[in-house]
Amino acid sequence: MPHARRRHYGLIASLVVIALATHIATAQAEITRVDFQQYDTKSAVRVVEEKGHLIVTWPIDATHNGVLKLSLDTAKPLIAALATRTGEEPPRPILQNVDPCGVLTVGTRNLKPA
């Protein structure tokens, strides 16, 4: 995988983490504000704020794009949509309206065979 593509995926992951942290930190607010000061407009990853959503698109290959639509409204699920798009066709959703959650196991894991 070329270095530039890995960097784009790192940017996508960073944007998602920032959006998650902002979403959690502003649970009392109605709409999360987005700061675009550090965003590089020359990047292949396109980020726009539109109608209460942060929309991130990135190239998957020559004809396909990934689309991540994050809700900025803290009363709604964070991930409004994760989709793929071919050319100018409408995005084809993989999932919609979900709040991410994590599971943390505390304790010691037994790796011995039973």
Side-chain angles (χ1 to χ4, degrees):
M1 178 179 290
H3 176 69
R5 184 171 278 181
R6 273 188 259 140
R7 190 174 72 166
H8 293 292
Y9 293 141
L11 175 62
I12 293 165
S14 296
L15 287 169
V16 170
V17 168
I18 290 167
L20 286 170
T22 304
H23 186 71
I24 291 166
T26 59
Q28 301 300 319
E30 284 187 19
I31 300 293
T32 302
R33 298 185 60 158
V34 179
D35 179 1
F36 287 97
Q37 284 184 317
Q38 301 280 327
Y39 174 63
D40 181 2
T41 57
K42 297 174 190 162
S43 172
V45 177
R46 184 170 174 253
V47 182
V48 295
E49 186 175 353
E50 185 178 290
K51 298 179 184 174
H53 291 93
L54 186 66
I55 302 171
V56 182
T57 57
W58 65 95
I60 294 173
D61 60 30
T63 59
H64 297 86
N65 289 318
V67 180
L68 175 63
K69 186 175 182 181
L70 300 172
S71 175
L72 298 176
D73 184 339
T74 58
K76 296 181 179 177
L78 175 61
I79 301 174
L82 178 62
T84 60
R85 180 184 333 189
T86 303
E88 294 301 316
E89 294 179 10
R92 293 175 47 187
I94 297 168
L95 57 89
Q96 292 179 304
N97 299 319
V98 295
D99 266 323
C101 82
V103 177
L104 174 66
T105 302
V106 177
T108 305
R109 183 174 171 189
N110 182 356
L111 297 176
K112 296 178 185 174

